Amino acid sequence: MQYKILSTKYNDIKFIKLKSNFIEAVVTNLGCAIVSLKTKNKNGIFTENVLGFNDIDTYIKQDKYIGVVVGRCANRIAKGEFELNGEKYKLYKNNGSNHLHGGKEGFDKKIFDFNINENSIIFSYTSENGEEGYPSRLDFTVEYAVSQNAFTVKYSGISDGTTVLNPTNHSYFNLSGGKTNILNHKLMISADKFGKIDNEGLVTGEIQDVKNTAFDFNSSKKIADCIYKSDEQLKLGNGYDHPFILKKNVNPQIELNDEGSGKFLRINTTMPCVQLYTANYLDGTLLGAHKTPLNKHFGICLETSFFPNAINNQFRNDVVLKCGERFSSTTQYIFGNI
Ligand code: BGC
């Protein structure tokens, strides 16, 4: 992997270019954002696969989590509250009555340290006891590795007391290189069950079979053919904004295809779920790298993680990280041409 560090107007924030023969990525230590993730198309030209911004200031001010790592806990925590070891913890409520994506200033707004080695870059950050209301001090790392056709993300965390941890990456994929929205992309998610949400986007804890619903992506389907179906859950989410429980031992677990650009993305993860979010709340006010307004459905997030609000529901044990135990997870994004 070749790399190059580019400075910005902020001393401690950098853009870092990572490169293999097939992949050209740009990342930053602000929120570990994936700024750009280009791969060679069938004509051998590097074209974009994610939404991103050219300048750090937009990363500082954006609230759509474009490209960033979110934590300590991705998605919503009901009423910003949970109990752990008999103690009640209160988190910042930044999404109506709920806590979202780590709070007011989650991992997405933190400046990480970084080290570059032969095949990867490792970002590290220490989240102090009580940060955003979360208990215990947490040492957290994110590794991005670039190999021939894969971009691999590894998260690791260890804390000095019991806490909760559920990080993810919040990249908005768009295999058209930002030319069109993602409604013509085809999506496959190997999952028989998904989690229902309420009118605030919070999971209700109810798990539903995808069979005979607009949520059955076991065979690849064009998003436009599914997202407008009459479905109470799609109405509540303003599109897809739901966790799917992934099947294990299938490869790939998730696949995105775009006939227009001739590209595919395949995802495998050690995490049990993926949050499918079809950029329902992008409204054109943010401009992307080529000054394109980022409108509704201009990207698709495939956030591999534990089940949302796990600390308050039946998936509680998944997210509890005990003192001195190491959390680790890996998600691999494989790119290619159809
Ligand atoms: C959530 C959405 C939220 C979005 C913020 C997604 O992960 O599921 O409900 O609006 O992040 O950008």
Side-chain angles (χ1 to χ4, degrees):
M1 181 188 83
Q2 296 164 36
Y3 74 89
K4 200 171 178 182
I5 299 174
L6 310 169
S7 25
T8 69
K9 68 180 196 190
Y10 300 97
N11 280 341
D12 44 0
I13 306 178
K14 310 283 179 204
F15 282 126
I16 307 110
K17 271 193 174 180
L18 311 171
K19 198 170 155 32
S20 72
N21 287 334
F22 183 71
I23 299 181
E24 261 184 23
V26 180
V27 299
T28 168
N29 60 320
L30 176 66
C32 303
I34 298 172
V35 171
S36 166
L37 189 45
K38 292 183 179 172
T39 54
K40 273 188 186 163
N41 69 9
K42 54 188 174 227
N43 300 319
I45 297 163
F46 283 101
T47 61
E48 191 60 83
N49 300 297
V50 296
L51 305 186
F53 309 110
N54 292 327
D55 64 304
I56 290 294
D57 288 329
T58 312
Y59 283 100
I60 292 173
K61 71 164 200 259
Q62 66 134 340
D63 61 358
K64 304 291 185 223
Y65 300 90
I66 293 180
V68 296
V69 162
V70 296
R72 293 187 191 187
C73 279
N75 208 277
R76 293 167 180 81
I77 293 183
K79 299 197 167 57
E81 284 176 8
F82 63 89
E83 256 185 54
L84 201 58
N85 294 340
E87 295 254 349
K88 200 161 192 169
Y89 292 94
K90 283 195 187 298
L91 309 174
Y92 189 80
K93 294 181 199 168
N94 53 329
N95 193 249
S97 51
N98 303 312
H99 172 87
L100 175 72
H101 292 333
K104 190 175 187 186
E105 202 183 87
F107 290 175
D108 59 298
K109 298 292 183 212
K110 302 296 184 196
I111 298 171
F112 285 63
D113 291 329
F114 62 93
N115 270 304
I116 302 177
N117 51 43
E118 214 183 314
N119 293 310
S120 71
I121 179 164
I122 300 176
F123 295 102
S124 49
Y125 174 71
T126 297
S127 172
E128 293 299 338
N129 180 21
E131 188 179 284
E132 294 291 338
Y134 287 99
S136 306
R137 184 186 149 113
L138 174 79
D139 288 318
F140 179 66
T141 64
V142 179
E143 178 174 8
Y144 292 149
V146 173
S147 61
Q148 179 51 24
N149 60 351
F151 188 85
T152 305
V153 181
K154 284 187 185 168
Y155 305 94
S156 176
I158 191 160
S159 75
D160 67 356
T162 309
T163 192
V164 285
L165 183 59
N166 185 13
T168 192
N169 177 275
H170 206 286
S171 284
Y172 289 62
F173 295 100
N174 182 327
L175 305 184
S176 80
K179 287 202 182 107
T180 63
N181 65 32
I182 52 79
L183 294 176
N184 280 331
H185 282 37
K186 280 184 164 173
L187 176 67
M188 187 283 291
I189 300 179
S190 193
D192 287 335
K193 293 181 190 302
F194 75 100
K196 285 186 163 187
I197 58 170
D198 67 12
N199 60 1
E200 287 192 292
L202 174 72
V203 288
T204 61
E206 212 181 322
I207 307 293
Q208 184 169 323
D209 283 356
V210 298
K211 216 172 180 181
N212 302 321
T213 75
F215 290 76
D216 189 351
F217 287 101
N218 280 296
S219 61
S220 188
K221 295 202 175 82
K222 198 187 261 192
I223 295 167
D225 295 340
C226 309
I227 199 167
Y228 298 120
K229 284 190 179 160
S230 152
D231 182 294
E232 191 54 29
Q233 280 297 310
L234 285 175
K235 225 181 278 166
L236 287 169
N238 196 19
Y240 291 99
D241 195 358
H242 297 78
F244 287 70
I245 301 177
L246 292 168
K247 287 187 200 160
K248 293 185 178 123
N249 307 319
V250 288
N251 184 357
Q253 291 171 292
I254 304 163
E255 180 168 294
L256 198 59
N257 268 297
D258 175 42
E259 270 172 27
S261 61
K263 287 174 142 189
F264 70 74
L265 163 64
R266 296 183 180 141
I267 304 177
N268 287 309
T269 183
T270 59
M271 293 303 263
C273 300
V274 66
Q275 177 82 10
L276 167 62
Y277 171 59
T278 43
N280 313 326
Y281 302 110
L282 287 187
D283 57 8
T285 44
L286 281 171
L287 301 181
H290 304 292
K291 301 284 167 249
T292 333
L294 302 180
N295 289 313
K296 188 172 181 182
H297 305 320
F298 221 68
I300 173 170
C301 300
L302 294 158
E303 307 158 39
T304 55
S305 54
F306 292 127
F307 199 82
N309 193 31
I311 192 64
N312 294 311
N313 61 37
Q314 66 270 45
F315 299 98
R316 179 179 176 88
N317 289 342
D318 288 354
V319 284
V320 174
L321 182 66
K322 294 198 180 124
C323 178
E325 274 181 10
R326 183 168 292 282
F327 162 89
S328 63
S329 77
T330 304
T331 298
Q332 189 165 54
Y333 304 86
I334 296 166
F335 291 91
N337 296 311
I338 305 167

